Amino acid sequence: MEPSAMPDPSLTADVDAPVSAPVARPVRWVLALSDAVLATERYVLGGLMTLLVVLILLNVVTRYAGLPLYWVDEASVYAVVWLTFVGASVMTRLRLDFAVGLLTDHFGPKAAKVAKVVSTGGVLVFGLALVWMCWLWMDPVGIVSYHFDAKEFAAETFNFLYTEHTQTLEWPMWVLQLIMPLCAITISLHALANLLEDLELAPRRTFPEFQVGNSESVN
């Protein structure tokens, strides 16, 4: 009795298995850049949180010893500000932004998808508007045209951004406020990546390194 021939696995593959469409190169570039920025933001968040803890402990110790360092309070405030902006950018890519589902919970699958695309598109519009606002506010072309003379620039334009300093640290305010245009750019990038995924131009990605999946896990 002859043994039965083994079937060829290539011929018995599930013909109904979905075949993922190739992702366009520009889409891959956007997603790769968003992933690289998100990985950098993860380390920045860790560094800022560590810095904030150190500053708070230093403030407690010096006040208890009767030798308060007033610049520590100001440094802590700006650490929280930077932490907030970077965290907002990270939450955008992780889709941890808050949403009210009172209406969309009653939508069908297609209508819910359209609502999701519109919502993500709104985040992208907000990010781009913030980029434009920061461009007008910081006016890099203007300060260059005055050969980086902050006083002359302020006298002609009444924009005193480049002449202001912090009260105790004596740091230039424009350096600390760079977080706003940086955050605007990263939010726009992450929102674009989310929009490409919502349009099903690329599979939706997960980020297990952040150990959060949705807003409920954060709460």
Side-chain angles (χ1 to χ4, degrees), residues 48 51-57 59 70-83 169:
L48 288 172
L51 176 62
L52 183 59
V53 171
V54 170
L55 289 173
I56 293 175
L57 291 176
N59 194 18
Y70 296 103
W71 61 266
V72 175
D73 292 333
E74 190 173 58
S76 301
V77 169
Y78 287 115
V80 171
V81 170
W82 275 64
L83 188 61
L169 293 170

mmCIF file of all heavy atoms in Angstrom, residues 48 51-57 59 70-83 169:
data_model
loop_
_atom_site.group_PDB
_atom_site.id
_atom_site.type_symbol
_atom_site.label_atom_id
_atom_site.label_comp_id
_atom_site.label_asym_id
_atom_site.label_seq_id
_atom_site.Cartn_x
_atom_site.Cartn_y
_atom_site.Cartn_z
ATOM 1 N N LEU A 48 12.592 64.834 32.085
ATOM 2 C CA LEU A 48 11.894 65.948 32.715
ATOM 3 C C LEU A 48 11.269 65.538 34.045
ATOM 4 O O LEU A 48 11.284 66.309 35.016
ATOM 5 C CB LEU A 48 10.822 66.495 31.781
ATOM 6 C CG LEU A 48 11.324 67.277 30.564
ATOM 7 C CD1 LEU A 48 10.175 67.600 29.620
ATOM 8 C CD2 LEU A 48 12.025 68.566 30.994
ATOM 9 N N LEU A 51 14.076 65.324 36.514
ATOM 10 C CA LEU A 51 14.489 66.667 36.878
ATOM 11 C C LEU A 51 13.503 67.313 37.837
ATOM 12 O O LEU A 51 13.900 67.971 38.817
ATOM 13 C CB LEU A 51 14.627 67.526 35.617
ATOM 14 C CG LEU A 51 14.964 69.010 35.825
ATOM 15 C CD1 LEU A 51 16.312 69.172 36.514
ATOM 16 C CD2 LEU A 51 14.932 69.759 34.493
ATOM 17 N N LEU A 52 12.215 67.132 37.592
ATOM 18 C CA LEU A 52 11.201 67.727 38.452
ATOM 19 C C LEU A 52 11.275 67.161 39.867
ATOM 20 O O LEU A 52 11.173 67.907 40.854
ATOM 21 C CB LEU A 52 9.816 67.485 37.853
ATOM 22 C CG LEU A 52 8.633 68.105 38.596
ATOM 23 C CD1 LEU A 52 8.785 69.613 38.682
ATOM 24 C CD2 LEU A 52 7.319 67.727 37.921
ATOM 25 N N VAL A 53 11.458 65.857 39.976
ATOM 26 C CA VAL A 53 11.576 65.233 41.308
ATOM 27 C C VAL A 53 12.805 65.763 42.042
ATOM 28 O O VAL A 53 12.750 66.082 43.239
ATOM 29 C CB VAL A 53 11.629 63.696 41.174
ATOM 30 C CG1 VAL A 53 11.970 63.051 42.518
ATOM 31 C CG2 VAL A 53 10.303 63.161 40.655
ATOM 32 N N VAL A 54 13.923 65.879 41.332
ATOM 33 C CA VAL A 54 15.149 66.384 41.944
ATOM 34 C C VAL A 54 14.963 67.825 42.420
ATOM 35 O O VAL A 54 15.379 68.194 43.532
ATOM 36 C CB VAL A 54 16.334 66.273 40.959
ATOM 37 C CG1 VAL A 54 17.556 67.009 41.500
ATOM 38 C CG2 VAL A 54 16.664 64.817 40.697
ATOM 39 N N LEU A 55 14.322 68.643 41.603
ATOM 40 C CA LEU A 55 14.109 70.042 41.975
ATOM 41 C C LEU A 55 13.196 70.153 43.196
ATOM 42 O O LEU A 55 13.432 70.979 44.085
ATOM 43 C CB LEU A 55 13.503 70.807 40.799
ATOM 44 C CG LEU A 55 14.438 71.071 39.611
ATOM 45 C CD1 LEU A 55 13.667 71.683 38.447
ATOM 46 C CD2 LEU A 55 15.596 71.973 40.014
ATOM 47 N N ILE A 56 12.149 69.343 43.242
ATOM 48 C CA ILE A 56 11.237 69.386 44.385
ATOM 49 C C ILE A 56 11.949 68.946 45.664
ATOM 50 O O ILE A 56 11.809 69.579 46.726
ATOM 51 C CB ILE A 56 10.000 68.514 44.113
ATOM 52 C CG1 ILE A 56 9.164 69.128 42.988
ATOM 53 C CG2 ILE A 56 9.159 68.361 45.373
ATOM 54 C CD1 ILE A 56 7.987 68.286 42.574
ATOM 55 N N LEU A 57 12.729 67.876 45.588
ATOM 56 C CA LEU A 57 13.469 67.420 46.761
ATOM 57 C C LEU A 57 14.495 68.458 47.201
ATOM 58 O O LEU A 57 14.676 68.703 48.403
ATOM 59 C CB LEU A 57 14.163 66.085 46.455
ATOM 60 C CG LEU A 57 13.241 64.874 46.263
ATOM 61 C CD1 LEU A 57 14.057 63.644 45.881
ATOM 62 C CD2 LEU A 57 12.426 64.613 47.522
ATOM 63 N N ASN A 59 14.255 71.646 46.761
ATOM 64 C CA ASN A 59 13.503 72.746 47.354
ATOM 65 C C ASN A 59 13.113 72.430 48.796
ATOM 66 O O ASN A 59 13.226 73.280 49.699
ATOM 67 C CB ASN A 59 12.252 73.016 46.519
ATOM 68 C CG ASN A 59 11.600 74.334 46.862
ATOM 69 O OD1 ASN A 59 12.210 75.210 47.465
ATOM 70 N ND2 ASN A 59 10.350 74.486 46.476
ATOM 71 N N TYR A 70 15.654 80.311 45.619
ATOM 72 C CA TYR A 70 14.446 80.806 44.969
ATOM 73 C C TYR A 70 14.369 80.413 43.500
ATOM 74 O O TYR A 70 13.279 80.335 42.933
ATOM 75 C CB TYR A 70 14.388 82.330 45.117
ATOM 76 C CG TYR A 70 14.272 82.775 46.561
ATOM 77 C CD1 TYR A 70 15.372 83.287 47.248
ATOM 78 C CD2 TYR A 70 13.067 82.656 47.238
ATOM 79 C CE1 TYR A 70 15.265 83.674 48.581
ATOM 80 C CE2 TYR A 70 12.950 83.045 48.568
ATOM 81 C CZ TYR A 70 14.054 83.557 49.236
ATOM 82 O OH TYR A 70 13.938 83.924 50.539
ATOM 83 N N TRP A 71 15.505 80.173 42.888
ATOM 84 C CA TRP A 71 15.470 79.805 41.482
ATOM 85 C C TRP A 71 14.896 78.409 41.266
ATOM 86 O O TRP A 71 14.445 78.076 40.163
ATOM 87 C CB TRP A 71 16.867 79.885 40.875
ATOM 88 C CG TRP A 71 17.878 78.974 41.508
ATOM 89 C CD1 TRP A 71 18.746 79.275 42.508
ATOM 90 C CD2 TRP A 71 18.123 77.601 41.188
ATOM 91 N NE1 TRP A 71 19.519 78.192 42.842
ATOM 92 C CE2 TRP A 71 19.150 77.153 42.034
ATOM 93 C CE3 TRP A 71 17.570 76.721 40.265
ATOM 94 C CZ2 TRP A 71 19.644 75.846 41.993
ATOM 95 C CZ3 TRP A 71 18.058 75.420 40.217
ATOM 96 C CH2 TRP A 71 19.079 75.000 41.077
ATOM 97 N N VAL A 72 14.881 77.594 42.334
ATOM 98 C CA VAL A 72 14.351 76.245 42.204
ATOM 99 C C VAL A 72 12.853 76.280 41.896
ATOM 100 O O VAL A 72 12.353 75.480 41.097
ATOM 101 C CB VAL A 72 14.631 75.428 43.479
ATOM 102 C CG1 VAL A 72 13.973 74.052 43.405
ATOM 103 C CG2 VAL A 72 16.126 75.277 43.691
ATOM 104 N N ASP A 73 12.134 77.202 42.522
ATOM 105 C CA ASP A 73 10.693 77.314 42.256
ATOM 106 C C ASP A 73 10.431 77.622 40.788
ATOM 107 O O ASP A 73 9.564 77.018 40.154
ATOM 108 C CB ASP A 73 10.084 78.412 43.135
ATOM 109 C CG ASP A 73 10.085 78.045 44.606
ATOM 110 O OD1 ASP A 73 10.055 76.836 44.905
ATOM 111 O OD2 ASP A 73 10.124 78.952 45.455
ATOM 112 N N GLU A 74 11.173 78.570 40.251
ATOM 113 C CA GLU A 74 10.979 78.943 38.851
ATOM 114 C C GLU A 74 11.378 77.807 37.919
ATOM 115 O O GLU A 74 10.689 77.539 36.920
ATOM 116 C CB GLU A 74 11.790 80.197 38.538
ATOM 117 C CG GLU A 74 11.470 80.800 37.186
ATOM 118 C CD GLU A 74 12.175 82.133 36.986
ATOM 119 O OE1 GLU A 74 13.419 82.161 37.072
ATOM 120 O OE2 GLU A 74 11.481 83.133 36.757
ATOM 121 N N ALA A 75 12.475 77.129 38.229
ATOM 122 C CA ALA A 75 12.898 76.004 37.399
ATOM 123 C C ALA A 75 11.862 74.887 37.427
ATOM 124 O O ALA A 75 11.599 74.246 36.392
ATOM 125 C CB ALA A 75 14.253 75.486 37.882
ATOM 126 N N SER A 76 11.244 74.662 38.574
ATOM 127 C CA SER A 76 10.208 73.631 38.676
ATOM 128 C C SER A 76 9.004 73.970 37.818
ATOM 129 O O SER A 76 8.423 73.096 37.161
ATOM 130 C CB SER A 76 9.778 73.460 40.135
ATOM 131 O OG SER A 76 10.867 73.092 40.956
ATOM 132 N N VAL A 77 8.624 75.248 37.811
ATOM 133 C CA VAL A 77 7.475 75.672 37.010
ATOM 134 C C VAL A 77 7.730 75.415 35.526
ATOM 135 O O VAL A 77 6.873 74.859 34.813
ATOM 136 C CB VAL A 77 7.175 77.158 37.254
ATOM 137 C CG1 VAL A 77 6.159 77.674 36.240
ATOM 138 C CG2 VAL A 77 6.658 77.370 38.673
ATOM 139 N N TYR A 78 8.912 75.785 35.049
ATOM 140 C CA TYR A 78 9.202 75.586 33.630
ATOM 141 C C TYR A 78 9.392 74.109 33.294
ATOM 142 O O TYR A 78 9.091 73.684 32.164
ATOM 143 C CB TYR A 78 10.432 76.399 33.234
ATOM 144 C CG TYR A 78 10.154 77.875 33.166
ATOM 145 C CD1 TYR A 78 10.768 78.775 34.038
ATOM 146 C CD2 TYR A 78 9.242 78.385 32.246
ATOM 147 C CE1 TYR A 78 10.492 80.132 33.982
ATOM 148 C CE2 TYR A 78 8.961 79.740 32.182
ATOM 149 C CZ TYR A 78 9.583 80.606 33.062
ATOM 150 O OH TYR A 78 9.297 81.950 33.012
ATOM 151 N N ALA A 79 9.854 73.315 34.255
ATOM 152 C CA ALA A 79 9.930 71.868 34.026
ATOM 153 C C ALA A 79 8.543 71.278 33.845
ATOM 154 O O ALA A 79 8.320 70.416 32.979
ATOM 155 C CB ALA A 79 10.655 71.193 35.189
ATOM 156 N N VAL A 80 7.581 71.745 34.642
ATOM 157 C CA VAL A 80 6.202 71.280 34.503
ATOM 158 C C VAL A 80 5.618 71.722 33.166
ATOM 159 O O VAL A 80 4.894 70.965 32.500
ATOM 160 C CB VAL A 80 5.341 71.793 35.676
ATOM 161 C CG1 VAL A 80 3.861 71.495 35.433
ATOM 162 C CG2 VAL A 80 5.792 71.168 36.984
ATOM 163 N N VAL A 81 5.920 72.946 32.750
ATOM 164 C CA VAL A 81 5.415 73.452 31.468
ATOM 165 C C VAL A 81 5.928 72.587 30.318
ATOM 166 O O VAL A 81 5.153 72.154 29.441
ATOM 167 C CB VAL A 81 5.824 74.920 31.273
ATOM 168 C CG1 VAL A 81 5.511 75.382 29.849
ATOM 169 C CG2 VAL A 81 5.115 75.815 32.284
ATOM 170 N N TRP A 82 7.230 72.331 30.302
ATOM 171 C CA TRP A 82 7.795 71.489 29.246
ATOM 172 C C TRP A 82 7.220 70.068 29.315
ATOM 173 O O TRP A 82 6.922 69.463 28.296
ATOM 174 C CB TRP A 82 9.324 71.462 29.364
ATOM 175 C CG TRP A 82 9.976 72.616 28.681
ATOM 176 C CD1 TRP A 82 9.854 73.943 28.997
ATOM 177 C CD2 TRP A 82 10.845 72.552 27.544
ATOM 178 N NE1 TRP A 82 10.596 74.704 28.143
ATOM 179 C CE2 TRP A 82 11.216 73.888 27.235
ATOM 180 C CE3 TRP A 82 11.354 71.511 26.774
ATOM 181 C CZ2 TRP A 82 12.066 74.193 26.174
ATOM 182 C CZ3 TRP A 82 12.197 71.813 25.714
ATOM 183 C CH2 TRP A 82 12.547 73.131 25.424
ATOM 184 N N LEU A 83 7.065 69.559 30.528
ATOM 185 C CA LEU A 83 6.512 68.220 30.703
ATOM 186 C C LEU A 83 5.087 68.144 30.156
ATOM 187 O O LEU A 83 4.698 67.160 29.529
ATOM 188 C CB LEU A 83 6.531 67.849 32.188
ATOM 189 C CG LEU A 83 6.174 66.416 32.569
ATOM 190 C CD1 LEU A 83 7.148 65.419 31.950
ATOM 191 C CD2 LEU A 83 6.172 66.263 34.087
ATOM 192 N N LEU A 169 16.228 82.986 37.288
ATOM 193 C CA LEU A 169 17.249 82.265 36.521
ATOM 194 C C LEU A 169 17.966 83.165 35.529
ATOM 195 O O LEU A 169 19.079 82.848 35.097
ATOM 196 C CB LEU A 169 16.609 81.093 35.781
ATOM 197 C CG LEU A 169 16.074 79.945 36.647
ATOM 198 C CD1 LEU A 169 15.264 78.976 35.806
ATOM 199 C CD2 LEU A 169 17.217 79.220 37.338
#
